[in-house]
Each structure stands twice: as structure tokens, then as C-alpha cells.
Amino acid sequence: MLSNKLQDALNQQINDEYYSSYLYQAMVAYLEDLNLDGCAHWMKMQAEEEHLHALKLFDYVVERGGRVELFAIAQPAKEWDSPRAAFEAALDHEKVMTENISKLADLAITERDHATNNLLQWYVSEQVEEEATVDDILKKLDMMGDTGTGLFLMDRELKNRPTPTPIDQAGA
Ligand code: FEO
């Protein structure tokens, strides 16, 4: 059984994951408006992945006999200064999410909830991957240029991001 404290924190993280999905959808709208179909596609896949992150936590709370509570999702930004600025904002956001997951794992340890800590280690690894992927995009934009031809080439590359595969059942 989850402690009340941990259940509340997991419910907040579910909200944060849904917000992440919402934020990336807002970036999709921004990038589509610039006709950057590849960048928009990449963000759309990212939004889907965040939705799956929320569902994995949702299923886990249910599996542990807890009660999921859904909170209001904050309104994301609508505009960014440039496509590069949108990816920078994505990286900044992921760094915040990494910090949130670390605090959650700290709480799971304090509460001596090893199952929740085990689940959260999956998210710890996922955050490493997510930060690295966005950082890679930004570094390539630095190399190729974040306007004109460089941006055109990046847009073409990002079109190839595959659809995220459904994540295993809670705890997997
Ligand atoms: Fe699910 Fe990118 O945090």
C-alpha cells in the first residue's frame, strides 16, 4: 500500500507528465505554424511519449491500491523566439522533470517503499535519455546552423522519429 505522502507525490507527477505532453503539443502547434513538419513531428512523438509516462504512473498507483487524482493542467506557452528556442525550452523542461523524479525517488526511499523506488529508477533512466536526445539536437543545430539550410536539414532528419511503443505495465 502506498503511503498518503507518496500517493500525493505520484499524483502530482502524473499531472507533471500530462503537462509535459501538453507543453510539447503547444510546441507542435508553434512548429506547424512555421511549416517545420519534421520538427513538429518530433515534438508530437515527444508529446505521445509523455502521455505514456503519465499512464505508466497511473497504472502503477492503481496496481498498488492507491487512488489516482487528476489535477488541472496548466496552460503552456504559445510562442517561442525561434525553433531553437523551443528545443532549448524542451531541454530546460526535462531538467526540471529530472529533478522532480529525483525528489520522488528520495521520498520513496524515505518512506521505505522499494517497489516505488524501483519503478522510479525506470524514469531516472528515461530522463537521462531524454535530456541527451534534446541536447544532441541542439548541438547539431549549433554545427549546421539553426536557420536556413541547417534548420531545413534538421527538419528533414526529425521527420524520421518513430512512434513511441507502448510502455510495459506498471513496474515493468
Ligand atoms: Fe516524462 Fe520527459 O518527462
Side-chain angles (χ1 to χ4, degrees), residues 70-135:
L70 296 176
F71 308 128
I73 302 171
Q75 183 176 11
K78 183 182 171 190
E79 304 285 347
W80 287 267
D81 289 341
S82 65
R84 190 188 199 289
F87 281 99
E88 275 171 357
L91 181 57
D92 288 345
H93 178 69
E94 288 307 328
K95 287 179 179 171
V96 172
M97 292 297 277
T98 298
E99 188 56 30
N100 289 351
I101 294 289
S102 295
K103 284 183 186 156
L104 253 180
D106 286 346
L107 180 62
I109 291 165
T110 307
E111 300 280 303
R112 301 191 69 251
D113 189 328
H114 300 295
T116 300
N117 185 37
N118 189 40
L119 173 91
L120 290 170
Q121 293 312 307
W122 181 90
Y123 285 85
V124 168
S125 303
E126 186 72 5
Q127 285 307 121
V128 171
E129 191 186 309
E130 295 210 335
E131 283 191 30
T133 306
V134 186
D135 192 52

Side-chain angles (χ1 to χ4, degrees), residues 18 29 77 87 130 136 139 142 154-155:
Y18 277 123
F87 281 99
E130 295 210 335
D136 184 63
K139 287 198 171 107
D142 287 343
M154 178 55 79
D155 192 58

